[in-house]
């Protein structure tokens, strides 16, 4: 087990310090009863117990140090901050960060620090990235985070991804540099993606029925890509620079990538007929508008409703 200490840090804080094959986990006394430690050496696994946010508030996990055979795995169901404070972490057998928390997870690179995450080249199929997150993933801070993806995606989020302030460098990925669902948003910061086997950034719908665009993107599931500010550079990719189930909207910032390598399925390219989909169907676009019967469909993503069944259809 990793060494465990209590009381030596600020309230609502857990500090994890990696040192080669070992890790020291220090838990604030006010939250020690909510944290279960199942770590083994430098492979740190913590389980955040129920009721912690309601009783004491959000917990921050501060990660620092170096390990070439370690990981950080967190299980829980509450909003959480993962603070990277000078971390170089390699897991040869899985993700470097494995966050099994379906709520909002803030990944914060502390100001003035450089941080590197590297995964192994082969591990379980239900984990999809060097940084794998089950919930809403918000990257922030004024430090630097570099990710090397040797298995699938460099970053995989089962829900939305937002980026603000930090410098994010993805230097390799066997598949996508960033793969997320619901939507993707760059508010500010610098993102460099290079050497990926498939798409630089891919955005999928999470559900079968897309929502409308919402204010501040609350509860939005459109498959859209948004860039408000910052700088985005995408080089050396095997698929597309950007691929979105919805639309790509650029309202500011600097874009350095091949604009011809952007795929927006909501805009469409080639035609097929609704009738070709088979049987009587109600067909809706991603804005929730029902299309006239027999209308030719452009290439894109549609919602097909047949009787009581609803499914997503991609027309390629």
């Amino acid at each position: 087990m990793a060494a465990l200490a209590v009381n030596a840090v600020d309230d609502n804080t857990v500090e994890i310090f990696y040192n080669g094959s070992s890790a020291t986990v220090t838990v604030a006394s006010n939250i020690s009863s909510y944290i279960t430690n199942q770590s083994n050496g430098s492979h740190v696994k913590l389980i955040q117990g129920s009721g912690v946010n309601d009783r004491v508030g959000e917990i921050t996990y501060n990660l620092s140090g170096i390990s070439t055979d370690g990981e950080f795995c967190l299980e829980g169901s509450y909003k959480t901050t993962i603070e990277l404070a000078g971390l170089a972490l390699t897991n040869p057998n899985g993700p470097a960060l494995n966050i099994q928390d379906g709520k909002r997870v803030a990944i914060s690179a502390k100001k003035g620090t450089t941080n590197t995450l590297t995964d192994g080249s082969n591990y379980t199929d239900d984990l999809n990235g060097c940084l794998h997150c089950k919930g809403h993933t918000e990257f922030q801070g004024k430090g630097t985070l570099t990710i090397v993806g040797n298995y699938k995606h460099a970053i995989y989020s089962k829900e939305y991804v937002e980026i603000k302030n930090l410098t994010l460098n993805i230097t390799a990925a066997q598949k996508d540099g960033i793969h997320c669902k619901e939507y993707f948003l760059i508010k500010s910061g610098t993102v460099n993606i290079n050497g990926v086997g498939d798409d630089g950034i891919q955005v999928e719908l999470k559900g079968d029925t897309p929502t409308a665009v919402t204010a501040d993107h609350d509860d939005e599931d459109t498959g859209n890509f948004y860039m408000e500010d910052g700088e985005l550079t995408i080089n050396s990719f095997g698929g597309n620079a950007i691929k979105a189930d919805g639309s790509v909207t650029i309202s500011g910032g600097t874009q350095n990538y091949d604009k011809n390598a952007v795929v927006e399925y909501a805009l469409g390219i080639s035609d097929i007929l609704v009738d070709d989909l088979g049987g009587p169907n109600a067909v809706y676009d991603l804005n929730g508008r029902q299309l006239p019967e027999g209308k030719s469909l452009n290439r894109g993503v549609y919602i097909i409703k047949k009787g009581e069944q609803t499914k997503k259809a991609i027309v390629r």
Side-chain angles (χ1 to χ4, degrees), residues 13 32 36 45 76 87 109 167 173 201 203 222 260 295 310 314:
T13 301
S32 60
T36 301
K45 180 178 180 180
L87 176 71
T167 297
I201 300 172
V203 192
T222 56
N260 294 318
K295 177 178 173 60
T310 302
I314 299 178

Side-chain angles (χ1 to χ4, degrees), residues 57-195:
E58 182 174 337
I59 293 177
T60 295
Y61 297 84
N62 179 286
L63 280 60
S64 63
I66 300 173
S67 177
T68 58
D69 185 5
E71 67 178 311
F72 178 70
C73 177
L74 176 67
E75 295 182 4
S77 56
Y78 298 93
K79 291 182 178 180
T80 298
T81 294
I82 312 296
E83 183 179 59
L84 309 180
L87 176 71
L89 185 60
T90 297
N91 183 5
N93 300 306
L97 263 58
N98 177 12
I99 312 302
Q100 296 297 317
D101 186 330
K103 300 297 184 180
R104 190 274 290 140
V105 177
I107 308 292
S108 179
K110 192 172 181 179
K111 183 178 180 180
T113 67
T114 58
N115 305 274
T116 303
L117 304 175
T118 307
D119 67 353
S121 60
N122 186 29
Y123 47 90
T124 177
D125 286 339
D126 61 354
L127 297 172
N128 297 305
C130 179
L131 192 162
H132 179 109
C133 186
K134 181 181 177 181
H136 320 307
T137 314
E138 298 183 2
F139 292 89
Q140 59 189 38
K142 294 188 177 180
T144 298
L145 172 59
T146 297
I147 300 180
V148 183
N150 291 311
Y151 178 47
K152 287 187 177 180
H153 312 300
I155 294 172
Y156 176 82
S157 174
K158 292 188 73 173
E159 296 179 340
Y160 69 72
V161 163
E162 292 188 0
I163 296 175
K164 181 179 180 180
N165 291 332
L166 90 166
T167 297
L168 174 62
N169 300 313
I170 293 173
T171 59
Q174 292 300 304
K175 291 194 173 182
D176 302 332
I178 300 174
H179 188 111
C180 66
K181 299 184 179 183
E182 297 185 341
Y183 68 87
F184 176 91
L185 169 62
I186 301 179
K187 293 182 176 180
S188 60
T190 301
V191 179
N192 300 302
I193 299 175
N194 189 63

